[in-house]
Amino acid sequence: MITFPSTMHAHTHYGDGKNSPEEMVLAAIDLGFVSIGIAEHAWAPYDLDVCIPKSRMRGYQSDIAHLKEKYADKIEVSCGLEIDYYYLYEKANWDHVVGSVHYVQSGNSGKYYTIDWRPDIFEDGIDDAGNGNVRTFIEMYGENVFALAKHYKPHVMGHLNVIEKLNSSSRFFDPGAGWYQTMWEKIISEIAANGLVTEVNTGGMSRGYVDHPYPSSEILHMLHRAGGQVTICSDAHEAGMLDYGFDVALDVIREVGYKSVKLWQGGRFVDFSV
C-alpha cells in the first residue's frame, strides 16, 4: 500500500542517476504517485563528478517538459534542480529547487571540500578550511545552510545534517555537543521563519549509508517545535528506490508529532494528512 504519493527529489541519467527521466516517471505512475520532482545536481564548476553537464541543461529542461505533457493525465511532473550554496540559479526558471549543502570552501586555499563523500576529504577539509578544528569546519557548513535558507529560500531544504553521514560512532564529532545543537537551533529557526519545507530524506538509507532518514529525529523535533513544515523525499538515483523507506520516514514524522506533511500538487505544496 502506498504510504506517501510523491517525491520532489529524484535523479536521472542526466546527472548521477541510473535511469532516464521517462523511466523514473513511469515508475512513479506504477507506484500511484500524484507527483514527481526531478531535481538534478545543478551544474557547478566544483561538482563535475555528479552534476548535470552544462551542455545538457537545456536538453534536460526540454525532456522534462515533454514528459509533463505526455503524462499530464497520469501524474504531475516537476522540473527542478538540486543546488548548493556556492552556485545559485534563478528559481523562477524552474518548477522547484532543492537546496542542499554538500560543500565547504576553504578561505585559505579556495578549495571546495565535500562533507558527505569520503572520510579522507572530510579530514582534509578540517585541516584546510577548518584550520585543524572540526568544530570550525562544521560551523562553516552550518553557516552555508543558514544562508541558503535566509537568502535563497529554496522550495525544499535538502537532507539537513547530512554532515553526520561519515560520523558513525562519533568518529569526528559529538552530535550531542551543545555547540552543535545551538547551530541547528539557529538554522531551524530561520527555516521555520521563512516558511520553508524541509525534506525527510531516505536516500542515505536506500544507498546503505545510514539506517535512518535525514534529518535526525532530534533535529526534526527542533523543526516541529519551531513550526517548520516537512515533506518526504527519496532522493532516488534509480527507479526502484522512488519510495524507499517512506514507511520509516512516516513513523519518525508521526513520532515527532506531525499530523500532516506537505505534498506537491498543482505546482505548490498542500497538506497531506499522516
Side-chain angles (χ1 to χ4, degrees), residues 59-246:
Y60 165 60
Q61 286 182 295
S62 296
D63 198 355
I64 303 301
H66 168 70
L67 295 174
K68 277 189 196 182
E69 182 177 351
K70 183 175 181 178
Y71 296 105
D73 61 334
K74 294 181 174 66
I75 193 170
E76 181 175 348
V77 180
S78 182
C79 184
L81 284 180
E82 182 178 12
I83 59 90
D84 210 310
Y85 168 71
Y86 293 107
Y87 207 90
L88 303 178
Y89 285 74
E90 175 55 57
K91 287 184 293 185
N93 294 334
W94 303 88
D95 296 330
H96 76 290
V97 174
V98 179
S100 305
V101 175
H102 300 87
Y103 285 89
V104 170
Q105 185 181 23
S106 170
N108 298 318
S109 66
K111 292 182 179 179
Y112 295 88
Y113 292 94
T114 53
I115 52 84
D116 64 337
W117 187 238
R118 295 199 325 251
D120 61 311
I121 296 175
F122 196 91
E123 290 168 348
D124 289 345
I126 294 169
D127 291 341
D128 182 6
N131 295 307
N133 188 309
V134 65
R135 175 175 173 177
T136 299
F137 182 63
I138 291 169
E139 288 182 336
M140 290 173 72
Y141 161 82
E143 288 166 6
N144 289 353
V145 180
F146 178 85
L148 197 63
K150 182 177 179 66
H151 302 296
Y152 187 66
K153 301 178 176 64
H155 299 92
V156 180
M157 291 297 294
H159 50 56
L160 297 187
N161 83 299
V162 73
I163 197 162
E164 294 180 32
K165 174 180 170 182
L166 303 177
N167 195 47
S168 177
S169 301
S170 299
R171 173 177 179 175
F172 294 106
F173 65 97
D174 175 14
W179 63 266
Y180 187 70
Q181 298 297 310
T182 298
M183 180 187 88
W184 281 112
E185 291 281 6
K186 177 183 175 183
I187 293 168
I188 294 303
S189 178
E190 191 64 31
I191 289 172
N194 285 300
L196 306 180
V197 174
T198 296
E199 68 171 8
V200 178
N201 180 309
T202 62
M205 296 169 60
S206 66
R207 292 189 291 282
Y209 296 119
V210 293
D211 60 2
H212 56 274
Y214 301 115
S216 65
S217 177
E218 292 80 7
I219 292 175
L220 271 178
H221 275 286
M222 289 184 197
L223 197 63
H224 184 253
R225 288 194 298 269
Q229 308 168 97
V230 296
T231 188
I232 302 173
C233 294
S234 59
D235 194 356
H237 286 62
E238 55 185 288
M241 297 296 181
L242 277 174
D243 65 343
Y244 188 94
F246 278 16

